[in-house]
Amino acid sequence: MYSEYVENLDNEAKQRYIEKIKDINYKDPYLLHNTELSTSASDLPDVTYIDIVNYMVYGVSAYTLEEFKAYKSLQAYNLFSCGWVLNVFAKKMAAMCLVIGKVRHSQRLSEKPLSPWFLANRQGVIQSAHCTCMAGLGESCTHIAALMFFVQYTVLKREEKSVTSIEQYWGKPKKSVDFAQVKDIDFSTPSTSKESAPKEGSSVPEMEDVEFFKFCGQLRDAGCNSALLKVVPGFNDVEIGWLVS
């Protein structure tokens, strides 16, 4: 069973299409529902720039038996970088991985997006491709290449994991540490704790109110527009009798 698109192809193009999908048990990619496909980057084949060049430039056409030499298709990176690649899905099938997506027309944005797909093995070597555009039967159009560049970029970013994005791998902590608010955390080291700890029978001195208001007076005299002065009586136009300037 094939999609309406495939049934409307001429006999030669239809037979070539069927030959390409034999590696995925003759399942027509255009009949797969979104629920059968994955949007996870981990399911994409490991496509590299070299894989794209090997296919688009040195791949052999099934029609002419000559290399594609589709150098202009490598300019499709602009389609990808401009955001024209949409709704990319993947499906692992046997030893192959199918990637299918939507790509906007670069000059006719109001038209229905095109539907390119390609097949690659798990190592990223591209086996075949197709697109619903006029040049799609040639298997090396810019829309196919744009989809490949999207996958290559996604795989590259997938591999760039930082130590904060994955589970701790360098060893377990020697002791468990509970979460706490900053105000409740003791940042002192054992040495500084001994030096700063009050002696037995003594108490930690607190700033006297007189000293505090002297400090506020110095802020005022320095012309400082401090928010502190706006809430302290005597400096926010509230008179108090024992203010020391």
Side-chain angles (χ1 to χ4, degrees):
M1 182 177 179
Y2 305 108
S3 61
E4 181 180 356
Y5 166 79
V6 176
E7 295 293 353
N8 288 331
L9 295 174
D10 61 51
N11 288 335
E12 183 181 8
K14 183 177 180 179
Q15 289 304 314
R16 170 57 186 159
Y17 187 94
I18 294 173
E19 181 183 350
K20 287 189 292 185
I21 62 176
K22 69 179 181 181
D23 291 329
I24 52 175
N25 299 322
Y26 297 98
K27 291 185 178 181
D28 185 356
Y30 295 134
L31 287 181
L32 295 175
H33 192 269
N34 289 353
T35 56
E36 302 177 74
L37 304 170
S38 170
T39 57
S40 174
S42 62
D43 290 329
L44 292 173
D46 296 334
V47 173
T48 66
Y49 180 77
I50 299 301
D51 293 317
I52 299 175
V53 172
N54 283 339
Y55 178 82
M56 300 301 296
V57 177
Y58 302 114
V60 177
S61 170
Y63 297 100
T64 64
L65 300 181
E66 296 179 355
E67 293 179 346
F68 287 135
K69 297 183 179 179
Y71 298 102
K72 289 186 177 180
S73 293
L74 296 180
Q75 299 174 3
Y77 187 87
N78 293 331
L79 284 178
F80 153 66
S81 62
C82 290
W84 290 168
V85 181
L86 314 167
N87 304 331
V88 177
F89 297 94
K91 184 175 180 64
K92 295 179 179 178
M93 308 173 73
M96 304 297 293
C97 183
L98 167 70
V99 179
I100 184 170
K102 299 288 186 182
V103 178
R104 295 184 186 274
H105 294 265
S106 58
Q107 302 297 329
R108 303 185 300 276
L109 298 182
S110 60
E111 292 191 15
K112 182 179 178 180
L114 299 161
S115 299
W117 60 256
F118 70 87
L119 286 172
N121 62 24
R122 301 294 176 83
Q123 291 71 43
V125 179
I126 300 166
Q127 306 293 332
S128 57
H130 195 84
C131 183
T132 53
C133 72
M134 294 297 293
L137 296 179
E139 305 175 9
S140 59
C141 66
T142 56
H143 312 103
I144 291 172
L147 179 61
M148 293 177 180
F149 280 121
F150 178 95
V151 173
Q152 181 243 339
Y153 176 83
T154 304
V155 169
L156 184 64
K157 289 300 179 182
R158 181 185 69 190
E159 301 301 326
E160 294 178 357
K161 293 182 178 179
S162 67
V163 294
T164 58
S165 64
I166 57 178
E167 185 178 358
Q168 181 193 27
Y169 60 86
W170 59 87
K172 295 182 179 179
K174 295 181 179 180
K175 63 178 182 179
S176 61
V177 179
D178 297 328
F179 291 103
Q181 295 185 16
V182 174
K183 66 181 182 64
D184 298 325
I185 299 177
D186 182 8
F187 291 98
S188 62
T189 63
S191 58
T192 58
S193 298
K194 293 179 180 179
E195 295 175 358
S196 60
K199 296 180 179 180
E200 185 177 354
S202 64
S203 60
V204 179
E206 297 181 358
M207 179 183 284
E208 298 291 341
D209 290 339
V210 172
E211 294 297 325
F212 172 71
F213 279 98
K214 281 185 178 180
F215 172 70
C216 291
Q218 292 172 349
L219 285 178
R220 178 197 60 194
D221 295 342
C224 178
N225 186 23
S226 172
L228 176 64
L229 301 181
K230 300 183 184 301
V231 297
V232 177
F235 296 93
N236 60 356
D237 298 329
V238 178
E239 295 292 339
I240 60 174
W242 52 278
L243 175 65
V244 179
S245 61

